[in-house]
Amino acid sequence: MAEGLIVPFCAEHADYLTDESRCVGAAGTISFPKTGAEVAEVLSKVRGGVTVQGARTGIVAGAVPSGGHVLNLRGMNGIGPVRVDSSTGKAWITVQPGALLLDICKAVEPEGFFFPPDPTESSASIGGMAATNASGARSYLYGPAREWISALSVVLADGDVLPIRRGETFADGRKFSLTTQKGRVIEGILPGYGIPGVKSAAGYYAADGMDIIDLFIGMEGTLGVITELELRLAKKPALAGGITIFLPSEEAAICLVGMARDSSIKPAAVEYFNPSALNLLRCIKARNPSFAGVPELPARFNTAIYLEFHKENEDELDECIMFVSDALAKLGVSDDDTWFATGSKEMERAKAFRHAVPEAVNLLVAERKKSCPSLTKLGTDMSVPDSCLEAVMAMYNTGLLESGLESVIFGHIGNNHLHVNILPACMEDYKRGRELYMLWAERVVEMGGSVSAEHGIGKIKTAFLQLMYGREGVGEMLAVKRLLDPDMRLNPGTLFER
Ligand SMILES: Cc1cc2nc3c(=O)[nH]c(=O)nc-3n(C[C@H](O)[C@H](O)[C@H](O)COP(=O)(O)OP(=O)(O)OC[C@H]3O[C@@H](n4cnc5c(N)ncnc54)[C@H](O)[C@@H]3O)c2cc1C
C-alpha cells in the first residue's frame, strides 16, 4: 500500500467537508489516490462509508461526507493525447476522473476539437460531470454529458473493476448482466419506471434494452468510483457567436424563445435571466470589486436572453443575426439593447457574465450563512416539456410573489429548465422556501417534468426523487445499488436517505 494513502482527517482538510451547496459534513479519514489501483486499495482497506469527491463544485451536497472516509480524486488528473480516426475524422480522449473541464478544454482545443458539455463551472472535474450527467447552456444543441462519454472504468465497492464501453453491453428488456475484471458475473434488473422525455439527471437512468454504460452515468457515486473515462470530442465550429439580448419584459423573453425554437437557426444555447437576476448583478457589481468586469446594465434592461450559435460559415452566422434582428423588430425592441460577441475573448466575456449570476448567488448565501450557519442554497433545477414553459414560469412567479421570498431566476430556458434560487435570510424563510419548492416539484412531476435536470439529487433533494419515482421506483434503484454495493458503503446519504 502506498505510504500514508489513508490519513486521519485533520484541520487542514476542512475544505473537504463541503461543496458548493455550502452544506458542511464530517469525516474520520481521507485519501488522495493517484491511480485506479490505489482507489481499489482504499476501498478494500477502509471500513464503513466512503464519500467520493471530484472538484466539489456540485450544488446538491453529493460530495459532502457524512462521516467515514473521503476519497478525493483531485490527484487523478491525467489527460491523454487526442486520438483521431483519419478515415472518419472522429476524435476521442482518455482522461482520469480528477481532470478539470478547463484543462480538458485546453488540451483538445489546439487539435481543433472541443468537449461540448459545459456546466458553466469550468473547475468541475470530469468524473463529477459523468457522475451527475452534467449539462449546461450548450446542452440545448449537444445534449448532456452522457452523450459524450464512450467508455468508463468503474471501481466497485469491493475493489473489483468494471470496464464498460458504449455499444458493447445492453440490457435485455430491463434485465442486465455485467462481468467484472475478475470474471465475476453480476445479474440484475433495472428500475421499471419511465424516464421523462425532458432533460433529466434524477436517479438512475433506466430504459428497455439500454446501453448499460448509461446506468453509471448520473449515478452520483453510489454504484462505484469512475477511475477512467473515454470522451468523444466534437469538431470545433468554424464560427461561434453569442448575442445577449435585453428585453423589456418576461413575456417578450418567452416570445423570443418560442421564435428561436420555431426557426431554422438551431442555437447552441438559449439562456435566460429574470429581472431579479439582473438586479443582483447591479448590486454585487457596486459592492464587490471582483465583479467589476460585469458591464453596466441600464434600468430599461428588464430581462435577458442569451443565444449562442455554432456555425460553419459566415452565411450561416449572418442568418442567425438576421433572425435576431427580425425577432427584435417584431417585439418592438431596439437592436442597441444587445451585446454581440464573436471570437474567443468576447465569447469568454459573455460566459463570464452568465457565470456571474450563480457566483453572486453563492456569495450571497455564504455571506448570510455567517449570521445563520444552518442556511444552505435553495435552488431549483427542474425541467418541463416545451408546452409547459409558460405555465411553469407563471407558477414560479405567483409562488414567489405570494410568499414574499427573495429570489433570482436564471438558466436554460431553451430546455424549459430554469434555476429558481430562493435567497433565504433566515431559517424561517428557508423553511417556507423549501415548502414552496416541494409544491412546485409536485406540479412539475404532474407536467411530465424532472425534479433534477442537471445537478442531480445529492443529499439535499432525496425527497424530490421519491416524489418523482415513488417509493417503488426508489426501492428499485436501491435494489440495483445493493447488488453492486451490498454494504451500502458508497456515498451514504446520496440519492437514498439514511
Ligand atoms: C457557479 C456554478 C454553476 C453551475 N452550473 C451548472 C450547470 O449549468 N450545469 C450543471 O450540470 N452543473 C452546474 N453546476 C454544478 C457542478 O459544476 C456539477 O455538478 C459538476 O458536474 C460536478 O463536478 P465536480 O467534479 O465538482 O463533482 P463533485 O461536486 O465533487 O461531486 C459531484 C457528485 O459526483 C460524485 N463523483 C465525483 N467524482 C466521481 C467519480 N470519479 N466517480 C464517482 N462519483 C463521483 C460525487 O460523489 C458527488 O455525488 C454549477 C456549479 C457552480 C458552482
Side-chain angles (χ1 to χ4, degrees), residues 355-383:
H355 190 229
V357 180
E359 279 284 281
V361 167
N362 289 350
L363 275 177
L364 199 75
V365 174
E367 265 172 32
R368 291 184 176 177
K369 225 174 149 55
K370 284 180 195 150
S371 54
C372 183
S374 310
L375 273 187
T376 60
K377 191 176 149 118
L378 197 51
T380 76
D381 174 36
M382 303 189 281
S383 56

Short mmCIF file of all heavy atoms in Angstrom, two decimals, residues 355-383:
data_model
loop_
_atom_site.label_atom_id
_atom_site.label_comp_id
_atom_site.label_asym_id
_atom_site.label_seq_id
_atom_site.Cartn_x
_atom_site.Cartn_y
_atom_site.Cartn_z
N HIS A 355 -21.82 33.37 -15.87
CA HIS A 355 -21.30 32.70 -14.67
C HIS A 355 -21.46 33.60 -13.45
O HIS A 355 -21.59 33.12 -12.31
CB HIS A 355 -19.83 32.37 -14.91
CG HIS A 355 -19.24 31.48 -13.87
ND1 HIS A 355 -18.06 31.75 -13.24
CD2 HIS A 355 -19.67 30.33 -13.32
CE1 HIS A 355 -17.80 30.81 -12.36
NE2 HIS A 355 -18.77 29.92 -12.40
N ALA A 356 -21.45 34.93 -13.69
CA ALA A 356 -21.51 35.89 -12.57
C ALA A 356 -22.80 35.73 -11.77
O ALA A 356 -22.80 35.97 -10.56
CB ALA A 356 -21.38 37.31 -13.10
N VAL A 357 -23.88 35.32 -12.42
CA VAL A 357 -25.16 35.23 -11.68
C VAL A 357 -25.11 34.11 -10.63
O VAL A 357 -25.30 34.38 -9.43
CB VAL A 357 -26.36 35.08 -12.64
CG1 VAL A 357 -27.66 35.00 -11.85
CG2 VAL A 357 -26.41 36.23 -13.62
N PRO A 358 -24.84 32.84 -11.02
CA PRO A 358 -24.75 31.81 -9.96
C PRO A 358 -23.66 32.10 -8.94
O PRO A 358 -23.81 31.81 -7.75
CB PRO A 358 -24.47 30.51 -10.72
CG PRO A 358 -24.09 30.88 -12.10
CD PRO A 358 -24.70 32.23 -12.37
N GLU A 359 -22.56 32.72 -9.40
CA GLU A 359 -21.47 33.08 -8.46
C GLU A 359 -21.98 34.06 -7.42
O GLU A 359 -21.69 33.95 -6.23
CB GLU A 359 -20.32 33.73 -9.23
CG GLU A 359 -19.41 32.76 -9.91
CD GLU A 359 -18.48 32.09 -8.91
OE1 GLU A 359 -17.50 32.71 -8.52
OE2 GLU A 359 -18.79 30.94 -8.53
N ALA A 360 -22.72 35.07 -7.90
CA ALA A 360 -23.25 36.09 -6.99
C ALA A 360 -24.22 35.46 -5.99
O ALA A 360 -24.22 35.80 -4.80
CB ALA A 360 -23.95 37.19 -7.79
N VAL A 361 -25.03 34.51 -6.48
CA VAL A 361 -25.97 33.82 -5.59
C VAL A 361 -25.18 33.08 -4.51
O VAL A 361 -25.48 33.18 -3.31
CB VAL A 361 -26.85 32.83 -6.40
CG1 VAL A 361 -27.60 31.89 -5.46
CG2 VAL A 361 -27.82 33.59 -7.29
N ASN A 362 -24.15 32.35 -4.93
CA ASN A 362 -23.36 31.56 -3.97
C ASN A 362 -22.70 32.46 -2.92
O ASN A 362 -22.65 32.12 -1.74
CB ASN A 362 -22.31 30.72 -4.69
CG ASN A 362 -22.95 29.57 -5.45
OD1 ASN A 362 -24.14 29.31 -5.29
ND2 ASN A 362 -22.19 28.90 -6.28
N LEU A 363 -22.20 33.63 -3.38
CA LEU A 363 -21.55 34.56 -2.44
C LEU A 363 -22.55 35.09 -1.41
O LEU A 363 -22.26 35.19 -0.22
CB LEU A 363 -20.95 35.74 -3.20
CG LEU A 363 -19.56 35.52 -3.77
CD1 LEU A 363 -19.11 36.73 -4.57
CD2 LEU A 363 -18.57 35.30 -2.61
N LEU A 364 -23.73 35.41 -1.92
CA LEU A 364 -24.77 35.94 -1.03
C LEU A 364 -25.15 34.91 0.03
O LEU A 364 -25.27 35.23 1.22
CB LEU A 364 -26.00 36.30 -1.88
CG LEU A 364 -26.97 37.25 -1.24
CD1 LEU A 364 -26.41 38.66 -1.26
CD2 LEU A 364 -28.31 37.23 -1.99
N VAL A 365 -25.29 33.65 -0.41
CA VAL A 365 -25.64 32.59 0.55
C VAL A 365 -24.51 32.45 1.58
O VAL A 365 -24.77 32.33 2.78
CB VAL A 365 -25.89 31.24 -0.18
CG1 VAL A 365 -26.10 30.11 0.82
CG2 VAL A 365 -27.11 31.36 -1.10
N ALA A 366 -23.25 32.50 1.10
CA ALA A 366 -22.11 32.37 2.02
C ALA A 366 -22.12 33.52 3.04
O ALA A 366 -21.85 33.31 4.22
CB ALA A 366 -20.81 32.36 1.24
N GLU A 367 -22.44 34.73 2.57
CA GLU A 367 -22.49 35.89 3.48
C GLU A 367 -23.56 35.69 4.55
O GLU A 367 -23.34 35.90 5.74
CB GLU A 367 -22.88 37.16 2.69
CG GLU A 367 -21.70 37.97 2.22
CD GLU A 367 -22.16 39.08 1.28
OE1 GLU A 367 -23.28 39.62 1.44
OE2 GLU A 367 -21.37 39.40 0.35
N ARG A 368 -24.75 35.25 4.08
CA ARG A 368 -25.87 35.09 5.02
C ARG A 368 -25.62 33.96 6.01
O ARG A 368 -26.15 33.95 7.11
CB ARG A 368 -27.16 34.87 4.25
CG ARG A 368 -27.55 36.14 3.52
CD ARG A 368 -28.86 36.03 2.80
NE ARG A 368 -29.20 37.34 2.21
CZ ARG A 368 -30.24 37.56 1.48
NH1 ARG A 368 -31.10 36.60 1.23
NH2 ARG A 368 -30.47 38.76 0.98
N LYS A 369 -24.84 33.00 5.56
CA LYS A 369 -24.50 31.86 6.42
C LYS A 369 -23.72 32.30 7.66
O LYS A 369 -23.77 31.65 8.70
CB LYS A 369 -23.66 30.89 5.60
CG LYS A 369 -24.06 29.44 5.75
CD LYS A 369 -23.27 28.59 4.79
CE LYS A 369 -23.02 27.21 5.34
NZ LYS A 369 -24.19 26.47 5.75
N LYS A 370 -23.00 33.45 7.52
CA LYS A 370 -22.19 33.91 8.66
C LYS A 370 -23.09 34.22 9.86
O LYS A 370 -22.74 33.94 11.00
CB LYS A 370 -21.40 35.16 8.27
CG LYS A 370 -20.21 34.81 7.39
CD LYS A 370 -19.42 36.05 7.01
CE LYS A 370 -18.48 35.76 5.87
NZ LYS A 370 -18.23 36.91 5.02
N SER A 371 -24.28 34.80 9.59
CA SER A 371 -25.16 35.10 10.72
C SER A 371 -26.15 33.96 10.98
O SER A 371 -26.76 33.91 12.04
CB SER A 371 -25.90 36.42 10.49
OG SER A 371 -26.55 36.36 9.26
N CYS A 372 -26.30 33.07 10.01
CA CYS A 372 -27.25 31.96 10.19
C CYS A 372 -26.60 30.69 9.61
O CYS A 372 -26.86 30.31 8.47
CB CYS A 372 -28.56 32.31 9.47
SG CYS A 372 -29.83 31.08 9.70
N PRO A 373 -25.71 30.04 10.39
CA PRO A 373 -24.86 28.96 9.85
C PRO A 373 -25.62 27.79 9.23
O PRO A 373 -25.07 27.09 8.39
CB PRO A 373 -24.05 28.50 11.07
CG PRO A 373 -24.13 29.62 12.04
CD PRO A 373 -25.42 30.32 11.80
N SER A 374 -26.87 27.57 9.61
CA SER A 374 -27.59 26.40 9.06
C SER A 374 -28.11 26.64 7.65
O SER A 374 -28.59 25.71 6.98
CB SER A 374 -28.78 26.03 9.94
OG SER A 374 -28.38 25.94 11.25
N LEU A 375 -28.07 27.90 7.19
CA LEU A 375 -28.63 28.19 5.85
C LEU A 375 -27.84 27.46 4.76
O LEU A 375 -26.62 27.37 4.82
CB LEU A 375 -28.51 29.69 5.56
CG LEU A 375 -29.61 30.62 6.02
CD1 LEU A 375 -29.36 32.02 5.46
CD2 LEU A 375 -30.98 30.14 5.58
N THR A 376 -28.55 26.94 3.75
CA THR A 376 -27.87 26.43 2.55
C THR A 376 -28.59 27.02 1.35
O THR A 376 -29.66 27.62 1.49
CB THR A 376 -27.91 24.90 2.45
OG1 THR A 376 -29.28 24.49 2.41
CG2 THR A 376 -27.19 24.21 3.58
N LYS A 377 -28.00 26.82 0.21
CA LYS A 377 -28.59 27.32 -1.03
C LYS A 377 -29.91 26.59 -1.29
O LYS A 377 -30.03 25.40 -1.00
CB LYS A 377 -27.58 26.99 -2.12
CG LYS A 377 -27.83 27.62 -3.44
CD LYS A 377 -26.65 27.23 -4.32
CE LYS A 377 -27.10 27.13 -5.74
NZ LYS A 377 -26.45 28.07 -6.60
N LEU A 378 -30.88 27.30 -1.81
CA LEU A 378 -32.16 26.68 -2.13
C LEU A 378 -32.46 26.97 -3.59
O LEU A 378 -33.13 27.94 -3.93
CB LEU A 378 -33.23 27.28 -1.20
CG LEU A 378 -34.56 26.57 -1.04
CD1 LEU A 378 -34.38 25.10 -0.71
CD2 LEU A 378 -35.39 27.23 0.05
N GLY A 379 -31.88 26.14 -4.46
CA GLY A 379 -32.00 26.41 -5.89
C GLY A 379 -32.72 25.28 -6.59
O GLY A 379 -32.38 24.12 -6.39
N THR A 380 -33.70 25.59 -7.43
CA THR A 380 -34.40 24.54 -8.17
C THR A 380 -33.62 24.20 -9.43
O THR A 380 -32.79 24.98 -9.90
CB THR A 380 -35.82 24.97 -8.58
OG1 THR A 380 -35.72 25.88 -9.68
CG2 THR A 380 -36.58 25.62 -7.45
N ASP A 381 -33.93 23.04 -9.96
CA ASP A 381 -33.18 22.51 -11.11
C ASP A 381 -34.14 21.64 -11.94
O ASP A 381 -33.78 20.57 -12.37
CB ASP A 381 -32.00 21.70 -10.53
CG ASP A 381 -31.19 20.97 -11.57
OD1 ASP A 381 -31.01 21.51 -12.67
OD2 ASP A 381 -30.73 19.84 -11.27
N MET A 382 -35.39 22.13 -12.11
CA MET A 382 -36.41 21.26 -12.70
C MET A 382 -36.68 21.63 -14.15
O MET A 382 -36.59 22.80 -14.54
CB MET A 382 -37.69 21.37 -11.87
CG MET A 382 -37.44 21.02 -10.40
SD MET A 382 -38.92 20.90 -9.41
CE MET A 382 -39.31 22.60 -9.10
N SER A 383 -37.03 20.61 -14.93
CA SER A 383 -37.34 20.85 -16.35
C SER A 383 -38.75 20.34 -16.65
O SER A 383 -39.22 19.41 -16.00
CB SER A 383 -36.33 20.13 -17.23
OG SER A 383 -36.35 18.76 -16.90
#
